[in-house]
Amino acid sequence: MENVMPFGEVLEAVGKLSLEEQETLLDVLHRRIIEHRREELASDIRQAQQEFEEGHCRPVTPAELMKEILA
């Protein structure tokens, strides 16, 4: 099991870092978040492609989509 640190403790620990270390941490976290979002998007795309291939959805025009959304 992972060792989980409470959020408040994480903030305290970050506060003890130098300004340069905090900036580096921010940069690392930002890149990790971007990568995580990219992985989520890729997973959503794969799922949508699979659903389309299995016939669970069909291509529609933007007008048809808006009509369906607003109905």
Side-chain angles (χ1 to χ4, degrees), residues 48 51-53 55-61 64-65 68:
E51 289 174 4
F52 180 76
E53 289 170 3
H56 297 291
C57 54
R58 62 179 175 76
V60 295
T61 66
E64 291 172 322
L65 183 59
E68 186 175 323

Side-chain angles (χ1 to χ4, degrees), residues 29-59:
L29 289 174
H30 187 251
R31 281 188 263 124
R32 286 183 179 185
I33 290 169
I34 289 171
E35 182 59 31
H36 184 76
R37 296 282 189 229
R38 186 176 291 130
E39 290 170 2
E40 285 181 338
L41 181 58
S43 175
D44 289 347
I45 291 169
R46 282 190 299 275
Q47 181 180 354
Q49 288 173 329
Q50 182 178 354
E51 289 174 4
F52 180 76
E53 289 170 3
E54 292 172 355
H56 297 291
C57 54
R58 62 179 175 76

Side-chain angles (χ1 to χ4, degrees), residues 10 14 17 20-30:
V10 172
V14 169
L17 298 173
E20 183 177 316
E21 290 171 324
Q22 289 181 27
E23 289 172 339
T24 300
L25 176 61
L26 181 61
D27 185 48
V28 169
L29 289 174
H30 187 251

Side-chain angles (χ1 to χ4, degrees), residues 3-17 22 25 29:
N3 184 14
V4 179
M5 195 176 196
F7 188 73
E9 288 181 28
V10 172
L11 289 178
E12 273 186 52
V14 169
K16 294 176 183 177
L17 298 173
Q22 289 181 27
L25 176 61
L29 289 174

